[in-house]
Amino acid sequence: MHLKEANGILSASNGMNISRGCTHGCIYCDSRSRCYQIDHDFEDVQIKSNAPFLLEDALKRKRNKCVVSTGAMSDPYINIPENLANIRSCLKIIDKYNCGIAIQTKSDLILHDLNILTSINKKANCIIQTTLTTFDEDLCKKLEPNVCGTRRRYEMLKIARENGIQTIVWLCPFLPFINDTEENLHGLLNYCVDAGVYGIIFWGIGMTLREGSRDYFYRKLDEHFSGLKDIYHKKYDYKYEIISDNSEKLVKALHAACEKHNIVYNADNLFKYMSTFAEKEKKQMELF
């Protein structure tokens, strides 16, 4: 871990990353790709030490309230004390300025900030997102070794909903010959249904690989799945988009399950839902 002062914190679309790099060790992580120009070891997480100051400065100057989104590039709940202190401070500032939050994490450490999230949720959007890749806990430890398992994330989703917070699941990636099975898909969907998730984001049944992330992924295939790297090389070569042979069948099954249980799965609608500010107290007062 190392600290660095950043020049800015919010993107034009109100996206925020309070760090660069990660220690979760997910074998498929796209953020390792060289196109993102991380100029330090990926596991040597760069903490933006002035993130709370920059966020408060940005929010107090905004004419209109917004939904801050975080976690697209780097999980805000990387288990480093300085990082956890930063995200908690940022959540308090979002709450102070009555803005919304759409936060994406694979870590149950987010529950430590449940009191702030429920406070935000009383006044504005508060949406917790998590990624689920495999129903098999042993496989999960190979794919995502340094973060809580799938069942714990499912429990996290249930706790969020019990506290009135909407949840969205990123059901991806599906790695060919590893987790692209009907059994795995239905196991994950059962978790989503039981947890009462609002929506599911998925990008078909497959994955993407770029320069940088591909190298790491193939090293981990050699480590955990003997012989599979050669199969990938032969079948996919150096393609960016890797589609599972089971894609068509599994996509139909996912659509059917979402429609049966009233789970939103149109990605454009979900991204619009997460980015559109909704002031709850004002809406409730208008009802009376």
Side-chain angles (χ1 to χ4, degrees):
M1 183 275 295
H2 63 282
L3 301 174
K4 184 175 181 178
E5 288 198 354
N7 294 322
I9 197 64
L10 283 186
S11 70
S13 58
N14 300 311
M16 175 180 74
N17 282 294
I18 62 171
S19 57
R20 284 171 63 83
C22 190
T23 58
H24 289 348
C26 304
I27 73 171
Y28 51 78
C29 180
D30 180 66
S31 295
R32 292 179 180 272
S33 302
R34 292 181 185 171
C35 63
Y36 299 119
Q37 300 179 340
I38 293 180
D39 57 1
H40 52 85
D41 289 340
F42 193 73
E43 286 76 13
D44 178 21
V45 179
Q46 181 185 97
I47 309 294
K48 298 178 182 179
S49 58
N50 58 339
F53 171 82
L54 292 173
L55 178 63
E56 180 151 29
D57 183 63
L59 293 185
K60 72 183 180 183
R61 289 188 289 107
K62 279 189 175 291
R63 292 184 178 180
N64 300 309
K65 296 171 186 174
C66 66
V67 179
V68 177
S69 62
T70 187
M73 274 291 296
S74 185
D75 195 314
Y77 283 93
I78 297 166
N79 194 8
I80 298 172
E82 292 85 350
N83 190 71
L84 297 176
N86 253 7
I87 187 60
R88 186 170 181 84
S89 294
C90 287
L91 290 176
K92 287 180 178 179
I93 291 164
I94 290 167
D95 189 29
K96 174 182 175 181
Y97 287 91
N98 299 323
C99 288
I101 181 74
I103 192 164
Q104 184 179 351
T105 181
K106 291 186 178 108
S107 176
D108 59 348
L109 292 173
I110 191 174
L111 296 176
H112 293 174
D113 292 332
L114 188 59
N115 61 326
I116 309 173
L117 293 167
T118 53
S119 179
I120 293 171
N121 192 50
K122 291 175 182 176
K123 299 172 286 186
N125 320 52
C126 183
I127 303 160
I128 293 177
Q129 310 158 69
T130 196
T131 298
L132 302 181
T133 57
T134 176
F135 186 72
D136 184 326
E137 293 295 325
D138 291 332
L139 180 57
C140 183
K141 291 304 293 182
K142 294 178 181 178
L143 302 184
E144 303 152 344
N146 303 323
V147 69
C148 68
T150 303
R151 182 166 184 83
R152 181 55 180 159
R153 282 177 241 168
Y154 151 73
E155 292 169 350
M156 176 180 79
L157 291 168
K158 287 190 72 174
I159 291 168
R161 288 298 296 124
E162 287 166 1
N163 283 271
I165 296 172
Q166 292 282 31
T167 58
I168 290 174
V169 164
W170 292 65
L171 215 57
C172 59
F174 288 93
L175 314 177
F177 311 108
I178 297 177
N179 67 329
D180 60 335
T181 66
E182 287 187 79
E183 179 184 14
N184 184 51
L185 176 66
H186 288 298
L188 295 174
L189 287 171
N190 287 340
Y191 270 160
C192 292
V193 170
D194 192 58
V197 304
Y198 175 83
I200 291 176
I201 293 172
F202 76 107
W203 306 110
I205 306 299
M207 64 181 301
T208 58
L209 288 174
R210 310 178 204 247
E211 186 180 3
S213 61
R214 182 186 293 109
D215 302 336
Y216 186 80
F217 177 67
Y218 280 167
R219 287 202 304 273
K220 292 301 175 179
L221 287 186
D222 272 343
E223 184 178 333
H224 297 297
F225 307 97
S226 179
L228 193 52
K229 183 177 78 171
D230 293 335
I231 294 174
Y232 267 72
H233 270 306
K234 183 176 181 180
K235 188 173 180 66
Y236 303 111
D237 197 18
Y238 285 90
K239 290 181 180 177
Y240 165 65
E241 191 174 17
I242 294 174
I243 304 299
S244 165
D245 290 344
N246 301 325
S247 180
E248 184 176 351
K249 175 174 61 177
L250 296 185
V251 167
K252 287 181 179 178
L254 189 147
H255 286 176
C258 288
E259 289 168 4
K260 178 180 178 180
H261 297 285
N262 296 314
I263 297 173
V264 180
Y265 63 89
N266 181 286
D268 290 339
N269 290 345
L270 287 171
F271 285 122
K272 183 178 181 180
Y273 170 72
M274 287 191 286
S275 63
T276 304
F277 178 77
E279 193 169 21
K280 293 185 178 179
E281 288 184 347
K282 183 177 180 181
K283 283 191 172 183
Q284 289 171 356
M285 289 181 68
E286 288 173 352
L287 293 174
F288 296 96

